[in-house]
Amino acid sequence: MTCSQLGNDLSAYVDSELSAARTAEIEAHVNQCPLCQARLAELRKLADGVAALPKLQPQPRFLAEVKGKIRGSAPGRVRLVDVLFRPYWPKIPIEVLALIIVLFLVSILPLPGLKQSARRRTTPAEMARSKSYEDTQAMTPPQPAARTTIPPAPPAPPPSQLVAGQGVALGGEGLVSESAKETTARSFENTQGKTADRLATGALAGAPAAPTAPNPIVVSASDYGQAKAKAIQIAAQMSGNVFSVKPAEQVPEESSRLVTADSSMVTESSEGGGGRFWVDLPASNAERFVAEFRQAVVELQSGSRLNAAQRQAEIRAVATNERKDQASAGDLERGVVAPGVSSNATVLDQLQPRRDEKETLKLQQEPRLTLEINVVPPTNAPLR
Amino acid sequence: MDGVTQSETVSDRQLVARLQAGNERAFDELVARHQQRALNVAFQLLRDREDAMEVAQDAFVRIYRSIGEFRGECEFTTWLHQIVVNLARNRYRWWRRRGRTATVSIDDPVETANGAVEWQVEAKGNPPDAEAANAEFIHTLSEKLAELPAKFREVLVLRNVENMCYDEIATALGCSVGTVKSRIARAREALRESMAGEL
């Protein structure tokens, strides 16, 4: 046997874990090998040294603490600070990182209290709208004309376009419907921002020229007066008011930049047989107003000579964020326009029916929409 | 005559059977009989007094809670060692994840923060001169043992501190006897190399 053939058996020999035969072989080799004798002595010394390592005496309270753990009430063993912060690595870095993330999210999320102020910082138009809203919220003296309008309608398109339903800015259905839906679907606050943006960017101001109206409302010259009276009647049923003057003077100072110079005062005119008036009503009623007004005009014209002096009622929607909470419900019921209306503005009619006060107040809180009804010069186009 | 001595006449198996029958005093007796064994194994493996105390106590808690599962297929002490080693492994794995190694020397003062003597190193029965002669060797050996891989420390402690046979060690560690034999031999060789100047 050689030294290398001992393998792990010399260690096992120290522990007396070998068979009698293997033990005899190991002893025979070790007796004649000085190197293995020295190695065996070292292994024994190491084994004895490990066995001689100092030992600990258990504490007298060992059993009591074991029983305390069994009952789950080992006092002072699990502390909140240990659970939260120990081990320091990686708990502390992770917790600091989590705190930073939470603070960042809180700073960017549109929390209710921060939303409006955040919006105010975005664009000047939103700032103007927000201020208007805040003014109304603060119950400032009645300002019923705090509304924004759009520039006057461009010249009427060619008759062929009217008939064909192409390149015409009319048809209020599409436009009004879209605006009304947008206005009513969103919160008042959103409406503020969106509408102001659209006005600022000319989205609504440019609407009359947009070739999007397939179904114009046409009013003959002789029927114009009756059509307008119908409009007054229908609007009154919907908490709306009809103005013969574009309500531009009421635009707050900070929003006046949205009004073009030529929109300051547009009076009702009859030059060329045309005319124009404005309907201001809750946005949720705008679509219904257009439908009913269209129906009324159709009924009016059913017995008229349409080919003599055709008039086209062009309806454009001007979304406003005005809330008519300046005017009291009583004023509305009495058909009195709240003070503050420009002296140049003429209220044609205030056929405000009596309503339940709560319903009236609810309507007052709604976003408003101003419809511009234009009667354009006559055309020779065939009418439907 | 204390209770432990009186209880020596009762085997561990009998105490386990009584505990399984609901006799709480049998558990007290088992703890009293084997607490030092559990504590020393944990301490030699972890080299940390507080952790050794925690592990030894937790081992008895586990025994109490799972005594119904003990079928007597091995000695109670083997089962106890198995639990202690597993808990110690969890503990030094926990250390390793945090970059910590054994931090306490057995020569450190055994005092708590308030100065009370919390632990007592058992005095060996050797003469003072023999203690002095071996003091440096034991100290170095302790440090070198702590530097060994855990699997080597485990087999050496169970073999030489607890004087367990290879079969019992294999059962406690869940490995074969051949593996135990190999690990012990390799551990001693590693220790012999690192202690070359001391032997």
Side-chain angles (χ1 to χ4, degrees):
Chain A
M1 175 181 286
T2 61
C3 297
S4 60
Q5 290 176 321
L6 291 178
N8 297 327
D9 285 349
L10 198 57
S11 173
Y13 175 77
V14 172
D15 294 327
S16 303
E17 290 280 347
L18 296 176
S19 65
R22 185 61 177 165
T23 300
E25 290 177 7
I26 296 294
E27 287 176 346
H29 173 76
V30 170
N31 286 337
Q32 61 179 359
C33 178
L35 287 178
C36 286
Q37 288 176 16
R39 186 181 165 202
L40 178 62
E42 290 174 352
L43 291 178
R44 282 183 167 149
K45 189 174 182 180
L46 287 174
D48 293 342
V50 173
L53 288 174
K55 294 179 173 56
L56 298 180
Q57 291 289 353
Q59 301 164 281
R61 64 173 186 272
F62 186 93
L63 176 61
E65 291 187 358
V66 170
K67 290 191 169 183
K69 286 187 174 184
I70 290 173
R71 291 192 301 268
S73 60
R77 283 296 176 187
V78 179
R79 296 179 302 169
L80 179 62
V81 68
D82 291 337
V83 173
L84 291 179
F85 302 118
R86 291 180 180 175
Y88 297 136
W89 175 264
K91 277 191 178 179
I92 294 293
I94 289 176
E95 288 165 351
V96 169
L97 185 63
L99 181 63
I100 291 172
I101 292 173
V102 167
L103 290 177
F104 175 73
L105 291 177
V106 166
S107 67
I108 64 170
L109 285 179
L111 297 181
L114 304 172
K115 195 172 183 180
Q116 188 169 344
S117 59
R119 282 191 174 279
R120 262 204 299 275
R121 288 195 300 269
T122 55
T123 66
E126 288 173 343
M127 290 177 66
R129 289 294 175 185
S130 296
K131 186 163 192 324
S132 173
Y133 175 68
E134 287 172 355
D135 289 344
T136 58
Q137 287 292 93
M139 297 300 289
T140 52
Q143 295 284 334
R147 67 190 61 162
T148 305
T149 59
I150 62 174
S160 59
Q161 289 179 330
L162 293 175
V163 174
Q166 300 171 350
V168 179
L170 167 31
E173 271 189 352
L175 184 57
V176 170
S177 174
E178 183 180 350
S179 299
K181 284 177 181 174
E182 176 183 332
T183 308
T184 54
R186 289 183 170 84
S187 67
F188 178 70
E189 187 174 298
N190 285 338
T191 306
Q192 271 191 311
K194 296 290 185 183
T195 306
D197 279 346
R198 294 182 66 185
L199 287 168
T201 57
L204 279 178
T212 57
N215 193 14
I217 299 175
V218 178
V219 184
S220 66
S222 59
D223 293 335
Y224 173 71
Q226 294 182 57
K228 189 172 181 180
K230 275 287 184 186
I232 293 171
Q233 186 178 358
I234 295 170
Q237 294 169 356
M238 300 178 181
S239 297
N241 300 317
V242 175
F243 295 87
S244 62
V245 176
K246 192 170 195 172
E249 288 293 318
Q250 294 83 5
V251 175
E253 186 178 343
E254 53 269 63
S255 301
S256 60
R257 65 179 189 79
L258 302 173
V259 182
T260 58
D262 58 349
S263 65
S264 55
M265 275 301 121
V266 183
T267 57
E268 183 179 14
S269 66
S270 60
E271 61 272 19
R276 170 161 38 186
F277 58 87
W278 289 264
V279 180
D280 181 81
L281 74 172
S284 61
N285 290 337
E287 196 169 0
R288 189 158 62 94
F289 172 82
V290 171
E292 292 190 13
F293 180 59
R294 182 185 297 277
Q295 180 62 31
V297 169
V298 170
E299 290 172 357
L300 276 175
Q301 294 180 135
S302 60
S304 301
R305 300 189 305 274
L306 300 182
N307 59 350
Q310 298 167 353
R311 297 292 180 269
Q312 175 176 312
E314 180 184 67
I315 301 175
R316 284 184 285 137
V318 181
T320 73
N321 62 348
E322 177 193 3
R323 297 189 343 173
K324 302 202 72 171
D325 49 2
Q326 299 94 339
S328 69
D331 287 341
L332 291 173
E333 287 178 355
R334 289 192 298 274
V336 177
V337 174
V341 177
S342 167
S343 58
N344 292 327
T346 303
V347 178
L348 295 184
D349 201 354
Q350 290 287 342
L351 297 178
Q352 189 72 25
R354 285 201 168 271
R355 289 178 177 274
D356 177 71
E357 186 171 354
K358 185 181 290 185
E359 184 183 355
T360 304
L361 288 173
K362 183 182 175 185
L363 286 171
Q364 290 170 10
Q365 295 298 319
E366 280 191 22
R368 306 286 294 188
L369 201 64
T370 299
L371 305 179
E372 182 177 307
I373 313 248
N374 278 329
V375 178
V376 298
T379 69
N380 294 323
L383 297 171
R384 294 187 304 112
Chain B
M1 184 176 287
D2 59 30
V4 175
T5 305
Q6 286 176 339
S7 66
E8 291 297 335
T9 57
V10 181
S11 70
D12 287 346
R13 288 185 180 275
Q14 288 173 310
L15 289 174
V16 167
R18 290 177 188 177
L19 179 58
Q20 288 173 332
N23 186 344
E24 294 285 333
R25 291 184 60 84
F27 178 72
D28 297 354
E29 182 58 39
L30 284 170
V31 172
R33 188 180 292 186
H34 298 292
Q35 57 182 338
Q36 186 170 4
R37 185 190 304 273
L39 185 61
N40 278 324
V41 172
F43 178 64
Q44 298 300 340
L45 294 179
L46 297 170
R47 314 301 299 169
D48 183 281
R49 297 183 182 88
E50 291 293 334
D51 284 338
M53 180 74 165
E54 291 273 342
V55 164
Q57 291 178 346
D58 290 347
F60 284 105
V61 171
R62 284 201 180 189
I63 283 173
Y64 180 86
R65 288 178 176 160
S66 56
I67 192 67
E69 302 168 9
F70 183 64
R71 301 300 176 204
E73 296 166 349
C74 64
E75 294 296 325
F76 173 79
T77 52
T78 304
W79 186 39
L80 173 63
H81 285 129
Q82 183 181 32
I83 294 172
V84 170
V85 169
N86 285 335
L87 290 174
R89 284 176 176 174
N90 293 342
R91 191 62 59 109
Y92 45 69
R93 282 172 189 155
W94 188 86
W95 287 351
R96 190 163 56 238
R97 287 198 297 270
R98 289 152 182 81
R100 176 186 165 188
T101 58
T103 56
V104 180
S105 167
I106 57 172
D107 295 331
D108 286 350
V110 284
E111 293 182 354
T112 61
N114 60 9
V117 176
E118 188 83 358
W119 303 88
Q120 292 182 343
V121 178
E122 182 186 63
K124 301 288 288 187
N126 298 333
D129 56 341
E131 286 289 323
N134 289 327
E136 187 176 353
F137 175 76
I138 296 298
H139 176 76
T140 307
L141 179 62
S142 173
E143 290 182 343
K144 298 300 181 184
L145 182 66
E147 294 173 0
L148 288 181
K151 62 181 183 180
F152 288 171
R153 276 205 314 276
E154 291 169 1
V155 291
L156 284 183
V157 167
L158 293 179
R159 175 67 194 98
N160 294 125
V161 175
E162 291 302 305
N163 204 27
M164 295 170 68
C165 69
Y166 286 9
D167 281 341
E168 292 174 326
I169 295 172
T171 302
L173 299 184
C175 59
S176 68
V177 174
T179 300
V180 171
K181 179 181 175 182
S182 170
R183 280 185 188 175
I184 289 175
R186 291 163 59 197
R188 282 173 176 158
E189 282 302 315
L191 208 53
R192 195 170 70 92
E193 288 179 10
S194 63
M195 294 279 293
E198 304 288 334
L199 295 172

